Amino acid sequence: MSMTFADLLAPLSPEQFFAEYHDRKPLHLRGGAAKFAHVLSWRQINRLLDMTHIWSGQSLQLVLDGTPVPPEQYCARATSRDNAQVLQPVAAKVRDWVGRGASIVLNDVDSLTPGLVAVSEALESAGLGKAQGNVYISWQSHKAFPAHYDTHDVWAVQVEGEKTWNVWEGRADWPIANPAFRTPGQAQHEQAKGRLREKVLLRPGDLLYLPRGWYHDALAEAPASVHVAFGLHAPLGMDLLNILHERALYDAEFRKPLPRQDGSAAARFALTTRAGQLGQRLAEFCRDPKVMEVLERFVADYHFTRGGNDLLAARGLGTAALGEDAEAPAWKVISPGAKPVRRGTDWVLKTAGGTLPLAPPEAEAAGWILARPDVAEAELRAAHPSVDAPALLARLRDAGLLAAA
């Protein structure tokens, strides 16, 4: 499963994105329900949540109407896989909070499914930095977070339901994840966000890009909404300072003591002169080919490493590269509400491209499929054994009603 940066942006070209939008202004792209069907589904979310020992009160968070739920109220003390004491979410308690309207935030998920990996690597392939993904699951009329900005670029991919984003005119001046950029409170955010720039309704397959520091907030419009926010952490000028610091360690001029201060004008002048000399030395470092080689390699390698495991190939026993196909594929319903109708003695299914004729057993099976969020071939065979499951799924896929999940 792979995706390019061009695939992610289609129909907009990467060239137009970098010329008009990158680090300049927000971008909303319509995609169609099938575009991100492979990224994440309810089936995959439940499977991930059932991997109990990968979650903690930090990696799985609950937020109710803007207020974080303390981990102690939905977690229990447990021993992690690393033999450390952690607060681990309890399914029954999480369900209880969800019943009250609490949003779920799943942090650092960008390597947990092939679809999440595909989007992450597509973004990183464009040189945008390190992609870190969080899943936001929210419910109608319950807002998780008030107006705020992020200290990284945000790429929001809508995979389920609908969500309205308020994009404000205000933008913080290239904030970074440092205590110096923590605001005193929400009142300052409300003042700094400015006037409403636009309301954006994200539907499945849509993408929203927000440059770092841009004020926004969002509210689910459908009974349930799921989006994945990929935060792109780009290399910064502060990283160059770290490289220069390493280079200065090997320069005797930076290891010498600064001029002693006795309060005299001469001493202050000596200190100012010395600071200027060291600043000039740093400027010389920036023209040093070896320093630039380190900087170029740092920027080029600024991405996460994911995957790469193939144990059978490592032993010369063939390849497991197709291991993701070991399980029967699941299909996501991308036309909810569609259902077969009877015309005389015949059954048909209305699609965007026309009508699809169905035999009576197929009509019953198709109605069963389309009433679900997704389906696996094995489930269809078990529920409707008289139907040719692969053939029916293929027909529904070709008609634009299903997409590979």
Side-chain angles (χ1 to χ4, degrees):
M1 183 178 296
S2 63
M3 172 179 278
T4 67
F5 188 58
D7 294 335
L8 191 68
L9 283 175
L12 188 75
S13 70
E15 292 77 15
Q16 186 177 356
F17 169 76
F18 285 113
E20 299 179 19
Y21 296 95
H22 182 234
D23 205 29
R24 292 178 176 84
K25 59 183 179 180
L27 168 67
H28 174 214
L29 289 173
R30 295 283 185 204
K35 183 172 184 178
F36 298 129
H38 68 288
V39 174
L40 197 63
S41 66
W42 288 114
R43 179 185 299 265
Q44 291 174 313
I45 289 170
N46 287 331
R47 287 187 63 186
L48 290 176
L49 290 175
D50 283 344
M51 298 177 187
T52 307
H53 297 297
I54 73 172
W55 303 109
S56 70
Q58 292 296 318
S59 56
L60 189 157
Q61 298 175 335
L62 300 180
V63 183
L64 180 60
D65 296 329
T67 302
V69 178
E72 293 80 7
Q73 295 190 22
Y74 63 92
C75 295
R77 296 198 175 277
T79 302
S80 74
R81 289 159 53 87
D82 297 323
N83 202 33
Q85 293 299 304
V86 298
L87 284 173
Q88 196 169 88
V90 177
K93 293 182 178 181
V94 172
R95 287 198 306 270
D96 178 65
W97 279 102
V98 167
R100 303 185 211 181
S103 297
I104 299 178
V105 183
L106 306 178
N107 294 312
D108 299 313
V109 300
D110 44 276
S111 65
L112 296 189
T113 73
L116 293 168
V117 169
V119 177
S120 301
E121 293 185 345
L123 291 165
E124 291 181 343
S125 71
L128 294 172
K130 295 181 177 179
Q132 179 262 334
N134 297 338
V135 175
Y136 294 85
I137 307 168
S138 51
W139 319 103
Q140 194 167 33
S141 303
H142 288 279
K143 181 182 288 189
F145 301 101
H148 65 285
Y149 62 77
D150 290 293
T151 57
H152 49 260
D153 283 5
V154 173
W155 293 75
V157 170
Q158 189 75 16
V159 295
E160 297 282 357
E162 297 180 355
K163 199 161 197 174
T164 295
W165 292 64
N166 293 318
V167 180
W168 304 91
E169 290 186 344
R171 184 183 184 185
D173 191 17
W174 284 278
I176 60 175
N178 184 283
F181 292 90
R182 290 178 182 166
T183 58
Q186 186 58 33
Q188 182 168 329
H189 282 309
E190 295 298 327
Q191 183 177 8
K193 71 182 184 183
R195 294 181 299 178
L196 185 65
R197 185 179 192 271
E198 60 180 318
K199 276 185 175 288
V200 176
L201 177 62
L202 289 192
R203 296 186 174 96
D206 286 4
L207 179 149
L208 176 65
Y209 163 72
L210 294 172
R212 175 163 52 125
W214 212 287
Y215 273 97
H216 62 277
D217 58 79
L219 182 66
E221 294 293 343
S225 167
V226 181
H227 80 271
V228 187
F230 293 90
L232 269 293
H233 302 259
L236 306 174
M238 302 294 292
D239 296 310
L240 172 59
L241 289 181
N242 292 333
I243 293 173
L244 293 176
H245 176 264
E246 291 295 320
R247 175 64 183 86
L249 289 174
Y250 298 95
D251 189 296
E253 294 303 314
F254 286 89
R255 301 199 302 269
K256 293 178 181 179
L258 294 171
R260 182 180 61 84
Q261 295 298 289
D262 58 10
S264 67
R268 289 195 298 273
F269 178 77
L271 183 61
T272 300
T273 301
R274 183 65 175 147
Q277 292 170 343
L278 293 176
Q280 181 61 37
R281 194 80 178 108
L282 288 176
E284 293 172 5
F285 288 165
C286 290
R287 294 188 290 271
D288 185 330
K290 292 183 177 179
V291 171
M292 287 308 302
E293 181 181 347
V294 172
L295 178 62
E296 289 170 3
R297 187 167 60 249
F298 174 83
V299 174
D301 293 343
Y302 203 78
H303 56 80
F304 289 121
T305 300
R306 302 178 185 85
N309 294 295
D310 194 336
L311 303 186
L312 291 179
R315 293 293 299 172
L317 300 174
T319 178
L322 300 179
E324 66 184 67
D325 295 328
E327 299 180 7
W331 299 90
K332 184 174 180 179
V333 176
I334 58 175
S335 292
K339 59 183 180 181
V341 296
R342 189 167 185 170
R343 291 183 174 175
T345 59
D346 300 324
W347 287 89
V348 297
L349 187 60
K350 292 183 179 179
T351 71
T355 58
L356 183 68
L358 298 169
E362 290 179 325
E364 182 181 354
W368 178 83
I369 293 169
L370 297 172
R372 302 160 59 89
D374 53 42
V375 64
E377 184 180 312
E379 294 171 339
L380 177 57
R381 288 199 306 268
H384 297 272
S386 64
V387 169
D388 184 340
L392 178 59
L393 291 170
R395 293 180 68 198
L396 295 179
R397 176 203 62 202
D398 294 343
L401 301 172
L402 300 180

